[in-house]
Amino acid sequence: MKAKDMDEAKASRNEMVFAVIGLMFFNGVSTFLERAFDAGIGNQLSELAVSFVRYTVFIGSFIMLLQRWRGSLKTILRGGWVWGLILLMAASFTWAENPAVVFTGVRAEVLPTVCFGLYLATNFTVTEQFKAIMWALSISIFLSILLAFVSPGLAFEPLNSTHPGAWKGIYSHKNDFSAYMVLTAAVLFNAAVYAKQKQVLKWSLFACCIGAIILANSATGLVLSMAAVIITLVFRSFHWRGIRSVFLSMLSLFVGGGFVLFIINAWNPIMTSLGRDPTLTARTLIWDFLIDYKIPNSPILGYGRGMFWSSPSLPGGIEQAAFHVPAHAHNGFIDLVLDVGLVGLFFFVVAFIIAYAKAWRLSYLNKGKAAYQWPIVFLNLLILSNYTESFLTRLANIFWVLFITMVFTLNRENPSNL
């Protein structure tokens, strides 16, 4: 899949502005608007304002998909396995404990994200998508810096919280801030490495992201940022060298597997020696409880999209196991199984593997171009980020939007050409 094969769509300047606004909305600006409006105009009006922006993005995307209906239909028909996951989420209200809760989530979150992802995949080239993503994420970090000066009370965790003084920017929690800064750092590093102009600006913004992660007191964020850097450099320099490449790949798997086994076996003493909680702030307790007691109760189809954590009864017992009731599982894959079961996980895994193979080939055939390296970097980061946070089907987040966009974009060409 060479670069010229992907350049079917040509977005106008107005469409680019709309895309940046939509990406910013799903990148957490909606949360900031809600918090800001709560402080100024009250909770009820803030929800109306956020809903207005959400449905503006949704309806605007839908209208522009209709305007290019032939290209839209082609993109839809080539969606492949990801449609199984989307349709399963949409239908999950039929077996949920409270169908109204699931139906509301499907209407307000699933449909807008899927529609917007389809719009980006249909109307934008890979290069245009990358530019829109870079603009949206860069503006988000600028807003976080601006907020820190204008209203520190909104930009930092309160002193009576579990993370006093940690920077959370325009987001509701420092963990969300860190995760989105990792995503931003990955985009900017990718852009800076391949940049032929404005390189200083891109490196400066990348440095701001790393500084933001440090101020958010996120060790996980720093590790993921370094992982994104390493992944970018590896795919930038990778060349297929026949049997030598096979040998190095097998050696890497052997060394990597041994390292993972060592970390698992020595996890408690390693974390204790570093002054960190071996349970990852009760995450491992949450995972053990859900895997042992909740997933087995509905393993095939799950509890319905967004139903488990919205129910007053379904999470019962977790407070005794993890000493609190979390807002989510802090693991995207566990939350995915809670939502739509092992069937949903199967659809996701198949769609991901196909997209990953196509992204790898796209990267290999188009070295030297940041936009064509980005899909493979993002897909790696998507998996890593969802080990300790939930950024797959939960709510309407940019990770899910970008995954949908990439799957539809990478499937846009005839598979025989890949």
Side-chain angles (χ1 to χ4, degrees), residues 142-191:
F142 171 77
L143 291 175
S144 291
I145 294 172
L146 181 64
L147 186 65
F149 287 100
V150 175
S151 181
L154 288 176
F156 294 90
E157 294 282 0
L159 296 179
N160 60 351
S161 68
T162 54
H163 307 283
W167 195 9
K168 62 179 180 179
I170 61 175
Y171 305 94
S172 59
H173 194 276
K174 71 105 176 176
N175 287 342
D176 292 338
F177 176 62
S178 173
Y180 287 126
M181 286 303 101
V182 169
L183 185 64
T184 309
V187 171
L188 291 169
F189 182 82
N190 204 16

Side-chain angles (χ1 to χ4, degrees), residues 291-365:
I291 292 171
D292 290 342
Y293 299 104
K294 294 301 178 178
I295 289 177
N297 291 337
S298 187
I300 305 302
L301 294 176
Y303 294 92
R305 197 264 178 191
M307 184 69 252
F308 184 84
W309 298 108
S310 300
S311 169
S313 59
L314 289 177
I318 197 168
E319 187 171 7
Q320 288 73 32
F323 309 108
H324 73 297
V325 179
H328 52 86
H330 290 283
N331 183 292
F333 310 107
I334 292 177
D335 271 330
L336 178 62
V337 175
L338 289 172
D339 279 354
V340 286
L342 295 175
V343 175
L345 181 63
F346 170 78
F347 282 124
F348 170 79
V349 169
V350 175
F352 180 88
I353 290 173
I354 293 172
Y356 194 90
K358 292 181 178 181
W360 190 317
R361 185 164 177 79
L362 180 68
S363 168
Y364 189 75
L365 294 178

Side-chain angles (χ1 to χ4, degrees), residues 273-411:
S273 65
L274 293 173
R276 293 283 176 175
D277 179 6
T279 68
L280 299 177
T281 322
R283 282 176 173 81
T284 58
L285 303 178
I286 296 169
W287 302 337
D288 288 344
F289 176 79
L290 294 174
I291 292 171
D292 290 342
Y293 299 104
K294 294 301 178 178
I295 289 177
N297 291 337
S298 187
I300 305 302
L301 294 176
Y303 294 92
R305 197 264 178 191
M307 184 69 252
F308 184 84
W309 298 108
S310 300
S311 169
S313 59
L314 289 177
I318 197 168
E319 187 171 7
Q320 288 73 32
F323 309 108
H324 73 297
V325 179
H328 52 86
H330 290 283
N331 183 292
F333 310 107
I334 292 177
D335 271 330
L336 178 62
V337 175
L338 289 172
D339 279 354
V340 286
L342 295 175
V343 175
L345 181 63
F346 170 78
F347 282 124
F348 170 79
V349 169
V350 175
F352 180 88
I353 290 173
I354 293 172
Y356 194 90
K358 292 181 178 181
W360 190 317
R361 185 164 177 79
L362 180 68
S363 168
Y364 189 75
L365 294 178
N366 298 280
K367 289 188 179 297
K369 298 179 180 179
Y372 293 91
Q373 310 308 311
W374 169 241
I376 193 68
V377 174
F378 169 76
L379 290 174
N380 278 281
L381 196 58
L382 177 72
I383 295 298
L384 294 175
S385 297
N386 276 282
Y387 280 126
T388 56
E389 291 300 333
S390 188
F391 292 115
L392 287 179
T393 58
R394 178 177 171 267
L395 303 179
N397 67 85
I398 196 171
F399 283 88
W400 174 246
V401 170
L402 294 182
F403 176 67
I404 289 292
T405 301
M406 286 186 185
V407 169
F408 282 119
T409 300
L410 294 168
N411 285 344

Side-chain angles (χ1 to χ4, degrees), residues 358 361 413-418:
K358 292 181 178 181
R361 185 164 177 79
E413 297 306 310
N414 189 329
S416 63
N417 294 332
L418 300 180

Side-chain angles (χ1 to χ4, degrees), residues 245-263:
S245 294
V246 174
F247 173 75
L248 290 175
S249 298
M250 296 300 294
L251 181 62
S252 298
L253 286 173
F254 178 77
V255 173
F259 178 74
V260 169
L261 288 174
F262 170 76
I263 293 295

